[in-house]
Amino acid sequence: MFKTVARAVVRPVSKLVYRPTITGTENVPREGPVLFASNHLSFIDSVVITVVAPRDVRFLAKAEYFTGSGARGALSKAFFESIGAIPVDRESNTAAQDSLERGREVLEQAGAFAIYPEGTRSRDGRLYKGRTGVAWLGLTTRCPIVPVALTGTPELLPVGSRIPRIRPVTVQFGEPIDASTYGEASSARARRRLTDDVMAAIGAMSRQELAGAYNEPPPANVVERMRRALHRNDPS
């Protein structure tokens, strides 16, 4: 009941207050499985997609958001559940595959699932190379992939902010890409080609500068920072 009421209230209120520019909703299938593949610029991206999409969308979120204690923990859990978040342990050795399996479960139940092919948030605003998990999901479930381009979300919720500011935000839903025409999920070539086409569609809408490399989260410690530096300087 809380989930239903929250969505019924949050969606219209958010649209009324923030007045996002939304285009291409006609490209989103209203029934059956659909995979949203979006660029990733801000923590609030998943909330924005959930609010503006013409479907109930599920997405992954850190398990910590669901396991806090006290009133604050309960409120966090209720909020993320209300907007369709699925908890995932990102510290697990199998986190990447676990995430894909959770997405597949949603799609196999004819639901809508959102994923960020870049893997993590772009800290410099450029569009990074897509990881092939998005293609694996599309090819495994044979569902359409709808590219999504977000613009303005870093200004909506800057790093370190807790309350969204009133700033112009644009959400574009591109034409669906038929994953079933690319081959089998077991084919690395098919996964790479489909992923590149998805990223090209996102880039055409967002008009971001292309980074030409994979995005990586900030190094967790000095050892990781040194490892990355040595890798970059390795001539092989």
Side-chain angles (χ1 to χ4, degrees), residues 22 35 40 42-43 77 103 113 116 150 153 169 189 197 199 208 217 227:
I22 310 165
L35 179 59
H40 195 12
S42 171
F43 169 81
K77 179 181 179 181
F113 184 72
Y116 301 112
L150 302 172
T153 53
V169 172
R189 179 176 296 180
D197 285 353
M199 298 309 296
Q208 292 169 267
R227 185 194 67 79

Side-chain angles (χ1 to χ4, degrees), residues 67-76:
T67 57
S69 60
R72 184 173 181 177
L75 182 61
S76 174

Side-chain angles (χ1 to χ4, degrees), residues 35-39 114-118 127-139 143-149 172-182 190-206 208 210:
L35 179 59
F36 293 104
S38 176
N39 60 336
I115 190 172
Y116 301 112
E118 293 171 277
L127 185 66
Y128 284 80
K129 190 174 181 179
R131 300 180 187 275
T132 58
V134 62
W136 184 87
L137 276 175
L139 294 169
C143 76
I145 301 176
V146 174
V148 181
Q172 302 174 73
F173 296 96
E175 295 185 7
I177 297 174
D178 185 359
S180 67
T181 64
Y182 282 78
R191 295 196 303 271
R192 184 71 262 165
R193 187 163 64 92
L194 176 53
T195 300
D196 288 345
D197 285 353
V198 169
M199 298 309 296
I202 295 172
M205 292 187 295
S206 70
Q208 292 169 267
L210 302 181

Side-chain angles (χ1 to χ4, degrees), residues 102-132:
R102 299 302 296 274
R104 181 167 72 169
E105 291 173 5
V106 173
L107 296 171
E108 288 181 342
Q109 295 172 10
F113 184 72
I115 190 172
Y116 301 112
E118 293 171 277
T120 189
R121 179 178 59 84
S122 173
R123 297 179 296 279
D124 58 14
R126 295 187 296 169
L127 185 66
Y128 284 80
K129 190 174 181 179
R131 300 180 187 275
T132 58

Side-chain angles (χ1 to χ4, degrees), residues 39-228:
N39 60 336
H40 195 12
L41 298 168
S42 171
F43 169 81
I44 205 170
D45 291 345
S46 297
V47 178
V48 172
I49 293 173
T50 301
V51 167
V52 306
R55 295 276 301 267
D56 286 340
V57 183
R58 306 300 302 279
F59 62 92
L60 301 177
K62 292 191 298 185
E64 289 86 342
Y65 295 142
F66 298 81
T67 57
S69 60
R72 184 173 181 177
L75 182 61
S76 174
K77 179 181 179 181
F79 172 75
F80 280 97
E81 286 182 343
S82 73
I83 60 174
I86 301 173
V88 61
D89 182 5
R90 296 185 178 179
E91 301 302 321
S92 167
N93 293 331
T94 59
Q97 188 58 41
D98 290 346
S99 299
L100 293 177
E101 291 294 344
R102 299 302 296 274
R104 181 167 72 169
E105 291 173 5
V106 173
L107 296 171
E108 288 181 342
Q109 295 172 10
F113 184 72
I115 190 172
Y116 301 112
E118 293 171 277
T120 189
R121 179 178 59 84
S122 173
R123 297 179 296 279
D124 58 14
R126 295 187 296 169
L127 185 66
Y128 284 80
K129 190 174 181 179
R131 300 180 187 275
T132 58
V134 62
W136 184 87
L137 276 175
L139 294 169
T140 299
T141 62
R142 296 299 184 183
C143 76
I145 301 176
V146 174
V148 181
L150 302 172
T151 306
T153 53
E155 290 73 36
L156 179 66
L157 189 71
V159 176
S161 298
R162 292 180 178 273
I163 300 176
R165 302 174 179 178
I166 298 180
R167 297 290 187 275
V169 172
T170 298
V171 185
Q172 302 174 73
F173 296 96
E175 295 185 7
I177 297 174
D178 185 359
S180 67
T181 64
Y182 282 78
E184 300 298 323
S186 58
S187 169
R189 179 176 296 180
R191 295 196 303 271
R192 184 71 262 165
R193 187 163 64 92
L194 176 53
T195 300
D196 288 345
D197 285 353
V198 169
M199 298 309 296
I202 295 172
M205 292 187 295
S206 70
R207 298 183 180 180
Q208 292 169 267
E209 178 186 348
L210 302 181
Y214 289 112
N215 196 6
E216 293 186 271
N221 49 50
V222 175
V223 174
E224 176 63 17
R225 190 178 299 116
M226 292 177 64
R227 185 194 67 79
R228 292 187 188 181

